[in-house]
Amino acid sequence: MASGEGGRLRVVVGITGGIAAYKAVALVRLLVLAGHDVSVVATPSALRFVGKPTLEAISRNEVGTDLYEGVAEVRHVALGQAADVIVIAPATANSLAKLAHGLSDDLLGTTVLASSAPLVVAPAMHTEMWENPATVANLALLRERGVRVVGPGTGALTGKDVGAGRMAEPEEILAATLAAVRPQDLAGRRILITAGGTREPLDPVRFLGNRSSGRQGVALAEAARDRGAAVTLVAAHLEVPPPHGVALHQVGTAEELAVAVAGFAAEADAVIMAAAVADYRPAVVADAKLKKEALGEEHELRLIRNPDILRALTSGELAPSRPAGQVVIGFAAETEQDPERILAVAREKAARKGVDFLVLNRVGWAEGFATAENAVTVLDGHGSIVGEAAGDKLSVAHRILDVLV
Ligand code: C5P
């Protein structure tokens, strides 16, 4: 596991001199937005393609280039020693040759040599250079040493050329970088995750909803993906973008979520129900916008109970053919303040829902929902505490997956 705090990683992004360097800016941005601490080390040729101020602004850190800057803080090895992972994007044919032979005549070379962190490279070059026996041999050597190679793809290259050698897209490089540093303990597993808050329509423009932002469910999807799982994310309303590299299925209402879960659960090794599902829906959904002129000063809404999807899943009613040994994790978002009483509520819920694990989080006007941080207690089906986690939602997600594993 990474030495950074919780889910936050220290990532060195090496940028070498190819036109795809402009796309490295997007990679740096994705890493920063995902909450990681990014230090860019750019070769002098990389800086002919993309400006240092751009990289410093996007990475929110100083950009290193020169071996003879920051000598007092021993920068030529410090970055590499502290890194949880190093990713070089783009990696030119020249930089791959240097890496293969351990050359360290620039800050990127010393950083890589001084590091024991996983190394990911995203090659980018013209097809002839990519297919040249020297590059092929260098890459084979790097692969043999455990370097992960992402891409290249086939597509437009510099000028009018089209062919193999186009750098992988930033999202794909991000996924490969995070996967390199996480344990692959969910490899080959299929995990179904629900996230966000359902919306139950009243008329074509209004709905009954809840304050779930989907952040915890999305973080679980990201974390499971990075640990090697094939993830299906059933997303009710999300306030954050869904992660790259998961199969996304969008739903609106609790009933739509039930249909999606019934379908996907038949193929899942684990189901994590992080979505905030409405317990009730309006009895009548108006075809046209409800008018206050017609409703008057007071209007009563009649609500109907939604099915309890989680209960229906564990009882076998929802997806009768679900795999034997499927692990089901439910969530309980509770406002109870007393620590003993909230645990009692969660224990009762774990038993009633028939889950293998229940993730309890306290929610309120200012906690749990829609925030970046979370604090949870994980109970098993008998109500015993098997895990606790607090911090950003990605680290909480990893702790929940530790329990699942
Ligand atoms: O009963 P409560 O809503 O507190 O239970 C929360 C758990 O049950 C969550 O995992 C949620 O996704 C799930 N749930 C469900 N169907 C409902 C209501 C909640 O599956 N109708």
Side-chain angles (χ1 to χ4, degrees):
M1 186 64 219
S3 56
E5 263 170 62
R8 184 178 162 90
L9 301 169
R10 282 185 290 248
V11 185
V12 169
V13 177
I15 307 181
T16 68
I19 182 60
Y22 83 92
K23 286 205 272 179
V25 179
L27 171 65
V28 171
R29 182 164 163 75
L30 289 173
L31 284 162
V32 169
L33 289 181
H36 305 297
D37 183 20
V38 180
S39 298
V40 172
V41 177
T43 62
S45 347
L47 295 183
R48 299 180 73 145
F49 289 96
V50 53
K52 205 170 186 174
T54 306
L55 294 168
E56 293 196 334
I58 301 293
S59 71
R60 304 176 188 169
N61 271 321
E62 226 177 289
V63 170
T65 309
D66 191 342
L67 262 180
Y68 301 100
E69 274 169 4
V71 175
E73 68 221 51
V74 208
R75 188 160 337 137
H76 72 291
V77 291
L79 283 170
Q81 286 169 336
D84 294 307
V85 59
I86 300 179
V87 52
I88 304 181
T92 57
N94 181 53
S95 64
L96 292 174
K98 287 170 73 174
L99 287 169
H101 297 284
L103 299 189
S104 54
D105 60 349
D106 58 15
L107 187 62
L108 185 56
T110 57
T111 301
V112 170
L113 280 192
S115 180
S116 53
L119 176 61
V120 179
V121 295
M125 63 200 75
H126 267 76
T127 312
E128 295 79 358
M129 296 172 81
W130 173 244
E131 288 173 354
N132 187 288
T135 308
V136 172
N138 289 332
L139 218 15
L141 199 55
L142 290 170
R143 277 206 169 98
E144 213 172 279
R145 282 191 213 131
V147 174
R148 278 114 168 136
V149 181
V150 50
T154 300
L157 306 168
T158 326
K160 291 189 178 141
D161 291 350
V162 176
R166 184 180 159 86
M167 189 173 83
E169 292 306 315
E171 289 81 3
E172 202 187 327
I173 304 172
L174 171 79
T177 305
L178 299 180
V181 84
R182 305 292 187 194
Q184 294 301 291
D185 48 9
L186 290 173
R189 302 295 187 176
R190 296 156 305 172
I191 303 194
L192 169 63
I193 298 172
T194 66
T198 62
R199 289 180 161 186
E200 309 295 325
L202 282 156
D203 67 20
V205 295
R206 304 186 183 93
F207 58 83
L208 293 181
N210 59 67
R211 292 183 51 232
S212 168
S213 64
R215 281 187 176 81
Q216 187 61 70
V218 164
L220 278 159
E222 274 177 31
R225 172 203 67 192
D226 294 345
R227 290 166 78 151
V231 177
T232 299
L233 178 65
V234 172
H237 176 71
L238 299 181
E239 283 170 19
V240 288
H244 174 82
V246 307
L248 178 69
H249 184 89
Q250 277 168 313
V251 295
T253 63
E255 285 178 309
E256 287 167 16
L257 193 133
V259 171
V261 170
F264 296 121
E267 304 270 290
D269 298 307
V271 180
I272 307 180
M273 286 284 290
V277 183
D279 288 323
Y280 292 89
R281 65 179 182 277
V284 179
V285 181
D287 283 335
K289 189 179 166 189
L290 297 166
K291 292 287 185 193
K292 52 186 168 299
E293 294 77 9
L295 298 178
E297 285 308 305
E298 258 183 54
H299 174 65
E300 279 184 18
L301 271 183
R302 206 162 62 82
L303 302 175
I304 297 182
R305 260 303 265 281
N306 273 330
D308 187 325
I309 304 162
L310 189 52
R311 181 71 201 112
L313 178 69
T314 60
S315 69
E317 195 188 311
L318 190 70
S321 65
R322 71 195 182 102
Q326 180 181 75
V327 180
V328 178
I329 303 185
F331 271 67
E334 301 295 337
T335 51
E336 172 63 61
Q337 294 293 311
D338 180 79
E340 281 308 311
R341 279 207 297 265
I342 196 170
L343 264 181
V345 169
R347 288 194 170 112
E348 186 276 324
K349 187 166 288 188
R352 177 163 44 87
K353 300 259 184 181
V355 291
D356 298 295
F357 298 104
L358 187 85
V359 179
L360 166 66
N361 70 325
R362 214 173 65 191
V363 293
W365 294 110
E367 61 182 335
F369 281 161
T371 57
E373 304 263 312
N374 205 3
V376 305
T377 303
V378 186
L379 307 180
D380 67 13
H382 308 290
S384 303
I385 296 179
V386 290
E388 274 177 313
D392 63 81
K393 287 184 172 173
L394 189 59
S395 10
V396 168
H398 277 288
R399 295 288 85 75
I400 295 169
L401 295 183
D402 289 343
V403 172
L404 171 64
V405 166

